[in-house]
Amino acid sequence: MSVSALVSAFMPAGSRMDCACCDLDERAFCAGLAQTSSALRAIRHDMRMESQATVFREGDPTDHIFTLVSGAVKLSKLMIDGRRQIVGFLFPGDFFGFGHNGLYGYTAETLSPVTLCRFSLLSLDTVVAGSRELERRLLNRMIAELSFAQEQMLLLGRMSAREKVSHFLLMLSRRATQRGDVASPLSVPMSRLDIADYLGLTIETVSRTLTGLKKEGLIAINGNTQVDLLDMQALEQIAAGGCLC
């Protein structure tokens, strides 16, 4: 289903959310841009979607870019042999939808009910052309996306399963504090399979590693969507390749 069809399914035509009601505050890429705020409001649309919905698919035309206002999104790519690789998880304040050669390079799917700000790429180009500050902010967002990709390359490299899972939990904790949430307990909206496909592990290995960390008293698992980091220092030592003796 196309982005336009999804928008029609979840929102009335022409619907827009008042930016004054946005919960992102300074996390929004458009925060504080007084000179261009009215132009941005004129081209943005509010988009609400349920869990497990597809925002766009890999290979679709890059018609829109998005800011995640609430909820969580996963990004994935299909490999030639049909296997799936999760390439990122997004949380409120994240900006996504950048493509290459006019096509999306990954599929974006919701992990929970979400609210998005959707911008037409052509319209945004016009607004950006008149604002050096907005241009700089968009560049910074693209640099941040590259940084996330580099971090995943580290995860998929020579780390052990124990190091990968510890690093992943600490990454979620760090990103939670960056958006103003507590460092622990963590909300973990992705499934064990999603985590496995992100870390390059099997679902059995992820489950076994989490259980091991729990038995050691380093984490507590509360249901399927919450993890309490009980010993951050020990987890950091594991993630860095240290040995707990």
Side-chain angles (χ1 to χ4, degrees), residues 19 53 58 66 74 81 136 141 180 216 222 224 232 234:
C19 289
E58 182 179 356
F66 306 83
K74 64 181 177 184
D81 59 6
R136 184 183 65 80
R141 293 298 172 117
E216 293 176 57
N222 307 315
N224 293 324
M232 299 276 282

Side-chain angles (χ1 to χ4, degrees), residues 10-21:
F10 291 102
M11 289 297 299
S15 176
R16 289 186 173 84
M17 180 175 65
D18 184 358
C19 289
C21 299

